[in-house]
């Protein structure tokens, strides 16, 4: 409800919905909400004596405060199972790599022998070719015989190139496999069994502690310890404090007395401070209608205008004032001071 005091001395009763930017706090992992122990190492709201404050509507929380905790027991069990699977997989890979190295090491001498055999054949064939070339020069052989001998030499050279490449590739494979074996053995000796699945599960455990990113006051609470949530299920609404703004949908007729830039004074019932100074940031037409409480006709609806008030308190006075959506405020165009009719308005 919003109440406005007009400078003409005439009091007009107006109602409006007080709202502020709201952070929707939702579950980021699936599971059951659990109670947070008093001895927790998590950052939770605490009083001046260091005692954990029960999270209820109106409680102030700071950025990074944990406001809910999803049971992480199953996630921890999944990590242990995945670590065992990872260790088993690495043992299999290590076995396969050792087998590959053994096979490659057997192939290398064979390739080296083939290479030496082909080199000897090339030398022998080159001698045959050179003899035929001499016969051709002396007219004792045909050119076709020389061409055929040269073709045999070329074929052997091509085979030698292929064997040389195979030998180099096999030696490189052995080197790579040995390096992989050493890396795996080092990881196993250090107890490292991490993989993408384990890292994902660890991230889920971190996300099981539901933190708020803004400072503000808890408003609606949708889930409590014992409730089972899916990803995205709402846990609570947090009314963000930082922007220090409220919006009130007020009757169009009363809004005509206000303009952007006006300084107004907002009193909060049941609060030690008398009022907060604020500035009208914007005024917008609204399609929403509001009940006309000044009318004798019950339920009569009139057009409303959305008025946004900003810079509440100016320098942090709002910390003790949880302006939750729907909370009652009184707005005056002049500083109210200690006015006797304040309690009459609250009633």
């Amino acid at each position: 409800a919003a109440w406005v005091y007009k400078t003409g001395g005439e009091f007009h009763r107006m109602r409006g919905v007080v709202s502020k930017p709201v952070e929707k706090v939702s579950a980021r992992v699936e599971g059951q909400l659990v109670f947070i122990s008093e001895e927790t190492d998590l950052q939770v709201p605490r009083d001046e004596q260091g005692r954990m404050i029960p999270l209820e509507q109106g409680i102030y929380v700071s950025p990074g405060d944990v406001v809910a905790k999803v049971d992480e027991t199953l996630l921890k069990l999944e990590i242990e199972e995945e670590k065992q699977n990872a260790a088993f997989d690495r043992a299999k890979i290590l076995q396969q790599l050792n087998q590959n190295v053994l096979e490659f090491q057997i192939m290398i001498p064979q390739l080296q022998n083939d290479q030496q055999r082909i080199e000897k054949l090339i030398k022998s064939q080159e001698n045959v070719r050179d003899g035929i070339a001499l016969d051709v020069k002396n007219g004792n052989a045909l050119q076709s015989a020389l061409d055929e001998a040269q073709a045999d030499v070329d074929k052997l050279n091509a085979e030698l190139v292929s064997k040389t490449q195979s030998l180099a590739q096999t030696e490189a494979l052995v080197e790579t496999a040995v390096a992989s074996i050493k890396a795996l053995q080092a990881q196993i000796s250090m107890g490292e069994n991490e993989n993408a699945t384990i890292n994902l599960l660890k991230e889920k455990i971190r996300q099981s502690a539901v933190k708020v990113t803004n400072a503000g006051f808890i408003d609606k609470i949708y889930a409590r310890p014992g409730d089972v949530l899916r990803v995205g299920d709402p846990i609570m609404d947090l009314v963000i404090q930082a922007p220090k703004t409220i919006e009130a949908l007020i009757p169009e007729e009363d809004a005509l007395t206000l303009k952007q830039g006006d300084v107004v004074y907002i009193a909060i019932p049941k609060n030690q401070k008398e009022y907060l100074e604020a500035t009208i940031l914007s005024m917008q037409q609204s399609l929403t209608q509001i009940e006309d409480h000044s009318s004798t006709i019950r339920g009569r609806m009139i057009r409303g205008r959305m008025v946004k008030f900003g810079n509440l308190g100016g320098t942090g006075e709002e910390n003790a004032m949880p302006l939750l959506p729907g909370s009652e405020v009184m707005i005056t165009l002049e500083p109210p001071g200690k006015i006797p009719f304040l309690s009459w308005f609250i009633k």
Side-chain angles (χ1 to χ4, degrees):
W3 305 74
V4 172
Y5 165 60
K6 293 187 177 179
T7 55
E10 183 180 355
F11 295 89
H12 289 265
R13 177 177 178 177
M14 298 190 304
R15 292 195 179 182
V17 178
V18 174
S19 63
K20 297 190 69 178
V22 173
E23 176 185 342
K24 291 287 184 180
V25 182
S26 305
R28 300 182 67 183
V29 296
E30 184 176 347
Q32 185 178 39
L33 289 184
V34 295
F35 286 97
I36 301 176
S37 169
E38 178 75 30
E39 291 75 27
T40 181
D41 294 331
L42 298 172
Q43 176 184 324
V44 295
R46 295 184 182 273
D47 59 20
E48 294 179 354
Q49 287 73 39
R51 294 171 299 191
M52 192 165 62
I53 301 174
L55 298 179
E56 299 294 343
Q57 187 179 45
I59 295 298
Y60 178 80
V61 293
S62 302
D65 278 353
V66 175
V67 295
K69 184 74 173 69
V70 176
D71 189 2
E72 60 187 39
T73 304
L74 291 179
L75 292 172
K76 288 183 176 179
L77 290 175
E78 286 185 54
I79 286 179
E80 291 305 315
E81 182 180 356
E82 187 61 32
K83 281 184 177 180
Q84 293 178 4
N85 292 337
F88 179 73
D89 290 342
R90 285 186 175 174
K92 287 178 62 178
I93 293 173
L94 192 59
Q95 182 181 10
Q96 184 62 52
L97 285 172
N98 280 313
Q99 182 65 31
N100 291 344
V101 169
L102 181 60
E103 292 176 358
F104 293 150
Q105 288 175 338
I106 293 173
M107 290 173 60
I108 288 175
Q110 295 175 349
L111 289 169
Q112 289 172 337
N113 290 334
D114 289 344
Q115 188 181 43
Q116 294 172 1
R117 178 181 57 81
I118 295 171
E119 287 174 347
K120 290 179 180 180
L121 287 174
I122 289 174
K123 288 182 179 180
S124 176
Q125 188 61 35
E126 285 176 341
N127 290 333
V128 172
R129 179 202 60 191
D130 292 344
I132 296 173
L134 184 59
D135 288 341
V136 171
K137 183 177 180 181
N138 295 329
N140 297 325
L142 297 176
Q143 181 63 40
S144 59
L146 179 60
D147 293 341
E148 184 177 347
Q150 183 61 50
D152 291 339
V153 171
D154 294 341
K155 182 178 179 182
L156 287 171
N157 277 318
E159 188 176 352
L160 178 62
V161 170
S162 176
K163 290 294 182 182
T164 303
Q165 291 176 344
S166 296
L167 178 60
Q169 291 171 355
T170 304
E171 290 174 337
L173 287 172
V174 170
E175 185 177 345
T176 301
V178 170
S180 298
I181 289 171
K182 289 181 179 179
L184 275 175
Q185 288 174 335
Q187 291 176 356
I188 293 172
S189 65
M190 295 176 63
E192 294 183 8
N193 287 318
E194 301 292 312
N195 58 26
T197 301
I198 292 176
N199 290 334
L200 178 61
L201 290 170
K202 285 187 173 182
E203 179 61 26
K204 285 186 176 182
I205 287 181
R206 285 190 287 270
Q207 293 178 355
S208 68
V210 182
K211 300 178 182 180
V212 296
T213 55
N214 295 284
F217 297 91
I218 295 175
D219 187 15
K220 297 178 182 178
I221 298 177
Y222 303 101
R224 295 185 179 275
D227 293 342
V228 178
L229 303 180
R230 296 171 299 180
V231 176
D233 283 351
I235 297 176
M236 64 178 62
D237 288 341
L238 180 70
V239 180
I240 300 174
Q241 178 203 23
K244 293 190 176 183
T245 62
I246 64 171
E247 292 180 351
L249 183 66
I250 64 177
E252 178 77 16
E253 178 184 355
D254 297 312
L256 295 176
T257 63
L258 306 174
K259 66 180 184 296
Q260 185 175 346
D262 279 354
V263 175
V264 297
Y265 304 88
I266 302 177
I268 315 294
K270 301 179 182 179
N271 193 77
Q272 295 179 355
K273 294 187 180 294
E274 294 177 347
Y275 63 87
L276 292 175
E277 185 175 310
T279 305
I280 295 179
L281 301 180
S282 64
M283 301 176 64
Q284 295 181 347
Q285 297 288 344
S286 175
L287 297 177
T288 305
Q289 290 190 323
I290 190 169
E291 187 173 353
D292 183 9
H293 293 280
S294 64
S295 173
T296 57
I297 303 175
R298 186 176 180 85
R300 180 174 178 265
M301 304 296 290
I302 55 176
R303 290 185 61 182
R305 179 174 291 196
M306 187 65 72
V307 181
K308 185 174 184 179
F309 304 92
N311 195 31
L312 289 170
T315 57
E317 293 183 57
E318 191 193 356
N319 287 352
M321 297 186 177
L323 294 176
L324 302 177
S327 61
E328 184 181 35
V329 295
M330 294 172 292
I331 303 169
T332 66
L333 300 180
E334 292 184 351
K338 295 181 179 180
I339 48 180
F341 56 78
L342 193 60
S343 61
W344 179 77
F345 264 108
I346 295 174
K347 296 178 181 178

